[in-house]
Amino acid sequence: MFLTTQSLTKEFGKLRAVNEVSLEIRQGDIHAIIGPNGAGKSTFFNLITGYHPVTSGKTVFKGKEITHLPAYHRCQLGLTRSFQITSIYPKLTVYESVLMGLLSHRRATFNFFGSARSYYKKEVWGILEDVGLADQADRAGDSLSHGDKKRLELGITLGTEPEVLLLDEPTCGMSPDETESTMTFVKKLVEDRGLTILFTEHDMSVVFGIAKRISVLHQGTLIADGTPDKVRSNEEVRKVYLGESK
Amino acid sequence: MKSNPKKNKTSLKKYWWVALLLAAAVAAPFFISEFYLTIFGEALIMSLLALSFNLLFGYMGQLSFGQAAFYGISGYTVAMLITKAHFNFWLSLGAGVVVAAALGLIIGFFCVRLRGIYFSILTLAFAQLIYFVIYKWHDFTGGDDGIQGVYPPDFLNSSIHYYFFILIVFILATFILWRIVNSPFGYTLKSMRENSERTEFLGISIAKYQLTAFVIAAAYAGLAGALWAPFYRSMAPSALFWLKSAEPVNAAILGGPSLFFGPIFGMFIMTFFHAWVLAYTVFWAFIMGILILIVIFLLPGGMLGFVQEKIKERRENRNPTTGIN
Amino acid sequence: MAFDVLFNQFMSGIARAAILFLVASGLSLTFGVLRVLNFAHGSLYMLGAFLTYSIWKFLLIPSLGFYLALILASLIMGAIGLLIEWLLLRRIYSRGWPEQLLATYAIILLITDLVKWGWGGEFLSIPRPEPFTGAVSMFGFPFPSYNFFIILLGLGLVFFLWWLVYRTRLGDIIRAAATDREMVSALGIPIPWLFTWIFVLGALIAGMSGAVAAPFGAIRLGMDVEIIIECFAVVVIGGMGSLPGTLLGSFIIGEVYSFGIMYKPELALAFIFIVMAIVLIIRPWGFFGRPER
């Protein structure tokens, strides 16, 4: 049991955004959470990563219950996320941003006298080359294109050398080409670094091409969970997605 | 792999002007009158207070309106230890800084639970509380009368000697702070300022780092206060009044909070300006208010920030914007 | 502790709470709509008190003089609010909170020296106006009848604000703008105009509170910082932007202060801090507020 949720529920006043979702994410999988708008995908992510407190239910990671742990602690345990609205450092350079992830993960941040830029040069360049931003290392975060910003965020999260990477709509706003290259890259990450990836997505073609397991949420409830084929042939899923454009 | 060409410049080349300023500071006592030397000394001490404020503002993104509380309580600690307990001068100074840092830990514990405006008002509130305690506790602190007769040891008891003492402490303290802000810890503070949510989700406990920075800032404010008491020979509650906390705010904003030396520059200008203005009017708060508004509307980034922008604009032809210092 | 003593302190606390509510509600109103926390709100309060004194002194009309001064001072403060909003505030709505905070902080600095220049550093006082000069006997203790005036005014303001926000078209706009500014603007309602008048109303309320508070205690420099800190405590406890929260917060702080004074006068302020500290630890977003995200 790698990462599981047990009857995870979130209520905002009277609105039940996530309704008793029990899921298992297996180590090494690329696991997609899909569902129409408002299905609760992002909220579910927020519960796992500690962005919102849960109303009820449990989250267990590597045998340890993390349901009420503060967000930063979960990240230290190996769970890192990206945000749907790309969250990067506007004025730090690409290099400095990725460095931040590494400094945090390697617990070097409580050091008062070293020179920050001298740390982890090899690792930072390694990540920069992996995400294809090595030639823009000195550019400020907010001067990048949208697609590059998403790659930057990915690079920053890789700095924390996570075990599970939660990507919230990683291809949001990308062109079909960019989408494809991003997902290929994500697949490579799993192979090269042994990551487990959990991601939310709208675009069905993206999901079915790459996910090993798919969970479908509808109005906060889990309606299907399994291999792509199983999900594709699920009646309720078809009903929910009837009329949804690809 | 491209490397930053700037990195190849040696530190000396980049900071030649620092060496120049240091030389000027060392030579100063032999060229300027005692009156101006006193103002210079005051500017150095208050610059430590301004640096303390800017650690929290320029580097961490939080506005503290209560730095004078740490400055004042340290000054009072030193004054009381020297005059009432006849304590050793050096230990008293140390005690002042420690007391300030301890107070920073207590106050900071509450303040870092808040962000933005709430943080700021809470710092103001705590500072006022400390002010009232010192003001009202007549038996212990002398209340309104303050504490008189705070003298440094004999060999420091002349203007020139004490000035050099202040200068040495200032240089050391500034160097240490410089190292701190460029360290991984300082990096973390900057990233918290840029996007605290992103930093939190990279595994950093925001409260822990903010508290640490708060304590360091309190210690620096305390250092300023500890230097001040024997310099001014007395301590009064006015040192903790909220208007005193406004001075480092003004200095940092005026000089430029995004540069390490901005607050120092701003404080020097303010201290000399204040000394000059005092001959004409007592309404210094009004002038500070006007200065802040001028900077907000006309000179964002402060004076040094403005200059830096102009220099950058000229270089901007080839390279895109590089990161902050 | 005798019941009558307790009751007396309790009623004093209500009076103090009423003043706090008067001030804090103006602050809450401007914050709710403009999303700017007017740090200088306490300065407007203080200026209102000093203006009331001068107008009262100038008019020298027995009994009615004070009420006239109150009205005039409130209007003048509204006008000053207009000036501040028009000259300064509207240029920084689009800026980040640090600049907004610094700008309003600058206004505190300006007003504090303005008051020092206009009235000197003296403590001033106004006697309580007719018919509230005396005291009412409550359980054998004299309770200043002026406090009833304050409480009545506080209640009046509660109803006025409730009526304004929930029963008028302007109130609908206010509530809409508080939630979604862009939508309101898209509906053709001129946001700048709305902001200006809300700020003016807030300044007017601040001035009025200062006027009301004038006979209650000493009029002096330092009132500004004192009251803004107490307002802050009110808002910490009650939650920002919430009317019921402001009521609750005012009540709690008023009572803490009143009983604190009874116990040990110098420590009244400290007690407020303790309450604030506890709330900050247990529930930093206040009773009626919502967690930061």
PDB file of all heavy atoms in Angstrom, chain A residues 194-221:
ATOM      1  N   GLY A 194      11.977   6.692 -11.376  1.00  0.00           N
ATOM      2  CA  GLY A 194      11.157   5.830 -10.535  1.00  0.00           C
ATOM      3  C   GLY A 194      10.070   6.568  -9.792  1.00  0.00           C
ATOM      4  O   GLY A 194       9.715   6.234  -8.665  1.00  0.00           O
ATOM      5  N   LEU A 195       9.547   7.609 -10.420  1.00  0.00           N
ATOM      6  CA  LEU A 195       8.500   8.394  -9.763  1.00  0.00           C
ATOM      7  C   LEU A 195       7.150   7.711  -9.876  1.00  0.00           C
ATOM      8  O   LEU A 195       6.927   6.916 -10.771  1.00  0.00           O
ATOM      9  CB  LEU A 195       8.372   9.757 -10.425  1.00  0.00           C
ATOM     10  CG  LEU A 195       9.444  10.811 -10.140  1.00  0.00           C
ATOM     11  CD1 LEU A 195       9.088  12.080 -10.889  1.00  0.00           C
ATOM     12  CD2 LEU A 195       9.530  11.084  -8.670  1.00  0.00           C
ATOM     13  N   THR A 196       6.268   8.102  -8.977  1.00  0.00           N
ATOM     14  CA  THR A 196       4.861   7.771  -9.121  1.00  0.00           C
ATOM     15  C   THR A 196       4.168   9.075  -9.462  1.00  0.00           C
ATOM     16  O   THR A 196       4.435  10.097  -8.855  1.00  0.00           O
ATOM     17  CB  THR A 196       4.301   7.208  -7.806  1.00  0.00           C
ATOM     18  OG1 THR A 196       5.103   6.122  -7.391  1.00  0.00           O
ATOM     19  CG2 THR A 196       2.859   6.748  -7.993  1.00  0.00           C
ATOM     20  N   ILE A 197       3.290   9.042 -10.441  1.00  0.00           N
ATOM     21  CA  ILE A 197       2.654  10.289 -10.848  1.00  0.00           C
ATOM     22  C   ILE A 197       1.149  10.175 -10.679  1.00  0.00           C
ATOM     23  O   ILE A 197       0.530   9.191 -11.099  1.00  0.00           O
ATOM     24  CB  ILE A 197       2.955  10.600 -12.319  1.00  0.00           C
ATOM     25  CG1 ILE A 197       4.463  10.618 -12.566  1.00  0.00           C
ATOM     26  CG2 ILE A 197       2.293  11.915 -12.725  1.00  0.00           C
ATOM     27  CD1 ILE A 197       5.064  11.935 -12.804  1.00  0.00           C
ATOM     28  N   LEU A 198       0.582  11.186 -10.057  1.00  0.00           N
ATOM     29  CA  LEU A 198      -0.864  11.289  -9.952  1.00  0.00           C
ATOM     30  C   LEU A 198      -1.226  12.599 -10.637  1.00  0.00           C
ATOM     31  O   LEU A 198      -0.692  13.644 -10.279  1.00  0.00           O
ATOM     32  CB  LEU A 198      -1.282  11.311  -8.479  1.00  0.00           C
ATOM     33  CG  LEU A 198      -2.780  11.364  -8.185  1.00  0.00           C
ATOM     34  CD1 LEU A 198      -3.460  10.103  -8.681  1.00  0.00           C
ATOM     35  CD2 LEU A 198      -3.011  11.509  -6.686  1.00  0.00           C
ATOM     36  N   PHE A 199      -2.087  12.534 -11.633  1.00  0.00           N
ATOM     37  CA  PHE A 199      -2.398  13.808 -12.281  1.00  0.00           C
ATOM     38  C   PHE A 199      -3.880  13.921 -12.614  1.00  0.00           C
ATOM     39  O   PHE A 199      -4.582  12.924 -12.761  1.00  0.00           O
ATOM     40  CB  PHE A 199      -1.530  14.036 -13.527  1.00  0.00           C
ATOM     41  CG  PHE A 199      -1.870  13.166 -14.709  1.00  0.00           C
ATOM     42  CD1 PHE A 199      -2.555  13.670 -15.806  1.00  0.00           C
ATOM     43  CD2 PHE A 199      -1.460  11.839 -14.747  1.00  0.00           C
ATOM     44  CE1 PHE A 199      -2.848  12.880 -16.909  1.00  0.00           C
ATOM     45  CE2 PHE A 199      -1.730  11.044 -15.840  1.00  0.00           C
ATOM     46  CZ  PHE A 199      -2.430  11.564 -16.930  1.00  0.00           C
ATOM     47  N   THR A 200      -4.329  15.162 -12.685  1.00  0.00           N
ATOM     48  CA  THR A 200      -5.715  15.407 -13.074  1.00  0.00           C
ATOM     49  C   THR A 200      -5.710  15.934 -14.495  1.00  0.00           C
ATOM     50  O   THR A 200      -4.757  16.560 -14.935  1.00  0.00           O
ATOM     51  CB  THR A 200      -6.404  16.458 -12.179  1.00  0.00           C
ATOM     52  OG1 THR A 200      -5.766  17.716 -12.389  1.00  0.00           O
ATOM     53  CG2 THR A 200      -6.347  16.070 -10.732  1.00  0.00           C
ATOM     54  N   GLU A 201      -6.752  15.652 -15.191  1.00  0.00           N
ATOM     55  CA  GLU A 201      -6.752  16.048 -16.589  1.00  0.00           C
ATOM     56  C   GLU A 201      -8.152  16.091 -17.132  1.00  0.00           C
ATOM     57  O   GLU A 201      -9.039  15.358 -16.685  1.00  0.00           O
ATOM     58  CB  GLU A 201      -5.893  15.040 -17.380  1.00  0.00           C
ATOM     59  CG  GLU A 201      -5.615  15.410 -18.834  1.00  0.00           C
ATOM     60  CD  GLU A 201      -5.077  16.815 -19.023  1.00  0.00           C
ATOM     61  OE1 GLU A 201      -3.885  17.038 -18.730  1.00  0.00           O
ATOM     62  OE2 GLU A 201      -5.838  17.684 -19.472  1.00  0.00           O
ATOM     63  N   HIS A 202      -8.361  16.968 -18.106  1.00  0.00           N
ATOM     64  CA  HIS A 202      -9.621  17.071 -18.822  1.00  0.00           C
ATOM     65  C   HIS A 202      -9.584  16.272 -20.106  1.00  0.00           C
ATOM     66  O   HIS A 202     -10.538  15.646 -20.504  1.00  0.00           O
ATOM     67  CB  HIS A 202      -9.840  18.525 -19.270  1.00  0.00           C
ATOM     68  CG  HIS A 202     -10.603  19.303 -18.294  1.00  0.00           C
ATOM     69  ND1 HIS A 202     -10.167  20.503 -17.810  1.00  0.00           N
ATOM     70  CD2 HIS A 202     -11.785  19.051 -17.703  1.00  0.00           C
ATOM     71  CE1 HIS A 202     -11.058  20.974 -16.964  1.00  0.00           C
ATOM     72  NE2 HIS A 202     -12.036  20.121 -16.880  1.00  0.00           N
ATOM     73  N   ASP A 203      -8.407  16.392 -20.743  1.00  0.00           N
ATOM     74  CA  ASP A 203      -8.268  15.892 -22.105  1.00  0.00           C
ATOM     75  C   ASP A 203      -8.150  14.370 -22.123  1.00  0.00           C
ATOM     76  O   ASP A 203      -7.162  13.811 -21.648  1.00  0.00           O
ATOM     77  CB  ASP A 203      -7.026  16.556 -22.721  1.00  0.00           C
ATOM     78  CG  ASP A 203      -6.893  16.266 -24.194  1.00  0.00           C
ATOM     79  OD1 ASP A 203      -7.512  15.294 -24.685  1.00  0.00           O
ATOM     80  OD2 ASP A 203      -6.152  17.002 -24.864  1.00  0.00           O
ATOM     81  N   MET A 204      -9.176  13.701 -22.682  1.00  0.00           N
ATOM     82  CA  MET A 204      -9.216  12.240 -22.654  1.00  0.00           C
ATOM     83  C   MET A 204      -8.086  11.590 -23.429  1.00  0.00           C
ATOM     84  O   MET A 204      -7.551  10.567 -23.021  1.00  0.00           O
ATOM     85  CB  MET A 204     -10.558  11.735 -23.186  1.00  0.00           C
ATOM     86  CG  MET A 204     -11.695  11.969 -22.220  1.00  0.00           C
ATOM     87  SD  MET A 204     -11.322  11.338 -20.589  1.00  0.00           S
ATOM     88  CE  MET A 204     -11.247  12.846 -19.676  1.00  0.00           C
ATOM     89  N   SER A 205      -7.727  12.190 -24.550  1.00  0.00           N
ATOM     90  CA  SER A 205      -6.685  11.577 -25.373  1.00  0.00           C
ATOM     91  C   SER A 205      -5.373  11.511 -24.603  1.00  0.00           C
ATOM     92  O   SER A 205      -4.641  10.537 -24.675  1.00  0.00           O
ATOM     93  CB  SER A 205      -6.497  12.366 -26.666  1.00  0.00           C
ATOM     94  OG  SER A 205      -6.125  13.700 -26.354  1.00  0.00           O
ATOM     95  N   VAL A 206      -5.123  12.547 -23.846  1.00  0.00           N
ATOM     96  CA  VAL A 206      -3.903  12.575 -23.037  1.00  0.00           C
ATOM     97  C   VAL A 206      -3.921  11.434 -22.037  1.00  0.00           C
ATOM     98  O   VAL A 206      -2.964  10.692 -21.861  1.00  0.00           O
ATOM     99  CB  VAL A 206      -3.806  13.932 -22.276  1.00  0.00           C
ATOM    100  CG1 VAL A 206      -2.743  13.864 -21.202  1.00  0.00           C
ATOM    101  CG2 VAL A 206      -3.531  15.059 -23.233  1.00  0.00           C
ATOM    102  N   VAL A 207      -5.074  11.294 -21.395  1.00  0.00           N
ATOM    103  CA  VAL A 207      -5.173  10.327 -20.312  1.00  0.00           C
ATOM    104  C   VAL A 207      -5.022   8.902 -20.811  1.00  0.00           C
ATOM    105  O   VAL A 207      -4.205   8.132 -20.297  1.00  0.00           O
ATOM    106  CB  VAL A 207      -6.527  10.492 -19.589  1.00  0.00           C
ATOM    107  CG1 VAL A 207      -6.684   9.415 -18.549  1.00  0.00           C
ATOM    108  CG2 VAL A 207      -6.609  11.869 -18.961  1.00  0.00           C
ATOM    109  N   PHE A 208      -5.799   8.578 -21.825  1.00  0.00           N
ATOM    110  CA  PHE A 208      -5.798   7.185 -22.271  1.00  0.00           C
ATOM    111  C   PHE A 208      -4.500   6.782 -22.909  1.00  0.00           C
ATOM    112  O   PHE A 208      -4.158   5.610 -22.957  1.00  0.00           O
ATOM    113  CB  PHE A 208      -6.986   6.922 -23.205  1.00  0.00           C
ATOM    114  CG  PHE A 208      -8.282   6.805 -22.445  1.00  0.00           C
ATOM    115  CD1 PHE A 208      -9.181   7.859 -22.399  1.00  0.00           C
ATOM    116  CD2 PHE A 208      -8.574   5.645 -21.738  1.00  0.00           C
ATOM    117  CE1 PHE A 208     -10.363   7.748 -21.673  1.00  0.00           C
ATOM    118  CE2 PHE A 208      -9.749   5.536 -21.005  1.00  0.00           C
ATOM    119  CZ  PHE A 208     -10.649   6.591 -20.973  1.00  0.00           C
ATOM    120  N   GLY A 209      -3.741   7.767 -23.393  1.00  0.00           N
ATOM    121  CA  GLY A 209      -2.481   7.396 -24.016  1.00  0.00           C
ATOM    122  C   GLY A 209      -1.397   7.049 -23.005  1.00  0.00           C
ATOM    123  O   GLY A 209      -0.429   6.382 -23.314  1.00  0.00           O
ATOM    124  N   ILE A 210      -1.550   7.510 -21.789  1.00  0.00           N
ATOM    125  CA  ILE A 210      -0.397   7.407 -20.916  1.00  0.00           C
ATOM    126  C   ILE A 210      -0.679   6.798 -19.546  1.00  0.00           C
ATOM    127  O   ILE A 210       0.210   6.198 -18.944  1.00  0.00           O
ATOM    128  CB  ILE A 210       0.227   8.815 -20.733  1.00  0.00           C
ATOM    129  CG1 ILE A 210       1.551   8.723 -19.966  1.00  0.00           C
ATOM    130  CG2 ILE A 210      -0.729   9.742 -19.985  1.00  0.00           C
ATOM    131  CD1 ILE A 210       2.267  10.023 -19.857  1.00  0.00           C
ATOM    132  N   ALA A 211      -1.944   6.913 -19.074  1.00  0.00           N
ATOM    133  CA  ALA A 211      -2.193   6.471 -17.703  1.00  0.00           C
ATOM    134  C   ALA A 211      -2.266   4.962 -17.603  1.00  0.00           C
ATOM    135  O   ALA A 211      -2.794   4.288 -18.474  1.00  0.00           O
ATOM    136  CB  ALA A 211      -3.486   7.083 -17.195  1.00  0.00           C
ATOM    137  N   LYS A 212      -1.744   4.477 -16.485  1.00  0.00           N
ATOM    138  CA  LYS A 212      -1.794   3.047 -16.247  1.00  0.00           C
ATOM    139  C   LYS A 212      -3.089   2.698 -15.516  1.00  0.00           C
ATOM    140  O   LYS A 212      -3.658   1.631 -15.686  1.00  0.00           O
ATOM    141  CB  LYS A 212      -0.597   2.637 -15.387  1.00  0.00           C
ATOM    142  CG  LYS A 212      -0.252   1.187 -15.460  1.00  0.00           C
ATOM    143  CD  LYS A 212       1.221   0.986 -15.071  1.00  0.00           C
ATOM    144  CE  LYS A 212       1.450  -0.471 -14.640  1.00  0.00           C
ATOM    145  NZ  LYS A 212       2.534  -0.615 -13.683  1.00  0.00           N
ATOM    146  N   ARG A 213      -3.491   3.641 -14.667  1.00  0.00           N
ATOM    147  CA  ARG A 213      -4.751   3.478 -13.972  1.00  0.00           C
ATOM    148  C   ARG A 213      -5.506   4.792 -14.029  1.00  0.00           C
ATOM    149  O   ARG A 213      -4.910   5.865 -14.031  1.00  0.00           O
ATOM    150  CB  ARG A 213      -4.538   3.098 -12.503  1.00  0.00           C
ATOM    151  CG  ARG A 213      -3.969   1.727 -12.294  1.00  0.00           C
ATOM    152  CD  ARG A 213      -3.916   1.425 -10.820  1.00  0.00           C
ATOM    153  NE  ARG A 213      -5.231   1.104 -10.277  1.00  0.00           N
ATOM    154  CZ  ARG A 213      -5.837  -0.076 -10.411  1.00  0.00           C
ATOM    155  NH1 ARG A 213      -5.264  -1.045 -11.070  1.00  0.00           N
ATOM    156  NH2 ARG A 213      -7.023  -0.279  -9.882  1.00  0.00           N
ATOM    157  N   ILE A 214      -6.835   4.693 -14.078  1.00  0.00           N
ATOM    158  CA  ILE A 214      -7.649   5.902 -14.154  1.00  0.00           C
ATOM    159  C   ILE A 214      -8.744   5.848 -13.096  1.00  0.00           C
ATOM    160  O   ILE A 214      -9.380   4.808 -12.887  1.00  0.00           O
ATOM    161  CB  ILE A 214      -8.320   6.026 -15.532  1.00  0.00           C
ATOM    162  CG1 ILE A 214      -7.247   6.046 -16.625  1.00  0.00           C
ATOM    163  CG2 ILE A 214      -9.165   7.305 -15.593  1.00  0.00           C
ATOM    164  CD1 ILE A 214      -7.810   6.117 -18.014  1.00  0.00           C
ATOM    165  N   SER A 215      -8.938   6.953 -12.404  1.00  0.00           N
ATOM    166  CA  SER A 215     -10.060   7.064 -11.474  1.00  0.00           C
ATOM    167  C   SER A 215     -10.954   8.178 -11.973  1.00  0.00           C
ATOM    168  O   SER A 215     -10.475   9.236 -12.372  1.00  0.00           O
ATOM    169  CB  SER A 215      -9.569   7.406 -10.064  1.00  0.00           C
ATOM    170  OG  SER A 215      -8.639   6.448  -9.627  1.00  0.00           O
ATOM    171  N   VAL A 216     -12.248   7.930 -11.953  1.00  0.00           N
ATOM    172  CA  VAL A 216     -13.184   8.926 -12.469  1.00  0.00           C
ATOM    173  C   VAL A 216     -14.021   9.492 -11.329  1.00  0.00           C
ATOM    174  O   VAL A 216     -14.665   8.753 -10.589  1.00  0.00           O
ATOM    175  CB  VAL A 216     -14.131   8.300 -13.523  1.00  0.00           C
ATOM    176  CG1 VAL A 216     -14.975   9.383 -14.173  1.00  0.00           C
ATOM    177  CG2 VAL A 216     -13.325   7.539 -14.551  1.00  0.00           C
ATOM    178  N   LEU A 217     -14.008  10.805 -11.226  1.00  0.00           N
ATOM    179  CA  LEU A 217     -14.817  11.478 -10.211  1.00  0.00           C
ATOM    180  C   LEU A 217     -15.985  12.179 -10.879  1.00  0.00           C
ATOM    181  O   LEU A 217     -15.848  12.742 -11.961  1.00  0.00           O
ATOM    182  CB  LEU A 217     -13.995  12.531  -9.469  1.00  0.00           C
ATOM    183  CG  LEU A 217     -12.944  12.066  -8.452  1.00  0.00           C
ATOM    184  CD1 LEU A 217     -12.298  13.281  -7.794  1.00  0.00           C
ATOM    185  CD2 LEU A 217     -13.565  11.191  -7.391  1.00  0.00           C
ATOM    186  N   HIS A 218     -17.123  12.133 -10.233  1.00  0.00           N
ATOM    187  CA  HIS A 218     -18.271  12.880 -10.739  1.00  0.00           C
ATOM    188  C   HIS A 218     -18.979  13.488  -9.550  1.00  0.00           C
ATOM    189  O   HIS A 218     -19.442  12.765  -8.670  1.00  0.00           O
ATOM    190  CB  HIS A 218     -19.194  11.958 -11.523  1.00  0.00           C
ATOM    191  CG  HIS A 218     -20.423  12.655 -12.036  1.00  0.00           C
ATOM    192  ND1 HIS A 218     -20.361  13.769 -12.839  1.00  0.00           N
ATOM    193  CD2 HIS A 218     -21.737  12.391 -11.861  1.00  0.00           C
ATOM    194  CE1 HIS A 218     -21.587  14.171 -13.144  1.00  0.00           C
ATOM    195  NE2 HIS A 218     -22.453  13.348 -12.565  1.00  0.00           N
ATOM    196  N   GLN A 219     -19.047  14.825  -9.528  1.00  0.00           N
ATOM    197  CA  GLN A 219     -19.661  15.542  -8.415  1.00  0.00           C
ATOM    198  C   GLN A 219     -19.130  15.059  -7.074  1.00  0.00           C
ATOM    199  O   GLN A 219     -19.871  14.847  -6.129  1.00  0.00           O
ATOM    200  CB  GLN A 219     -21.186  15.418  -8.477  1.00  0.00           C
ATOM    201  CG  GLN A 219     -21.729  16.195  -9.657  1.00  0.00           C
ATOM    202  CD  GLN A 219     -23.241  16.030  -9.808  1.00  0.00           C
ATOM    203  OE1 GLN A 219     -23.858  15.245  -9.116  1.00  0.00           O
ATOM    204  NE2 GLN A 219     -23.805  16.794 -10.724  1.00  0.00           N
ATOM    205  N   GLY A 220     -17.834  14.861  -7.041  1.00  0.00           N
ATOM    206  CA  GLY A 220     -17.194  14.514  -5.787  1.00  0.00           C
ATOM    207  C   GLY A 220     -17.167  13.039  -5.457  1.00  0.00           C
ATOM    208  O   GLY A 220     -16.496  12.614  -4.513  1.00  0.00           O
ATOM    209  N   THR A 221     -17.863  12.226  -6.215  1.00  0.00           N
ATOM    210  CA  THR A 221     -17.905  10.800  -5.903  1.00  0.00           C
ATOM    211  C   THR A 221     -17.097   9.999  -6.915  1.00  0.00           C
ATOM    212  O   THR A 221     -17.077  10.317  -8.099  1.00  0.00           O
ATOM    213  CB  THR A 221     -19.354  10.294  -5.912  1.00  0.00           C
ATOM    214  OG1 THR A 221     -20.169  11.207  -5.204  1.00  0.00           O
ATOM    215  CG2 THR A 221     -19.452   8.922  -5.269  1.00  0.00           C
TER     216      THR A 221
END
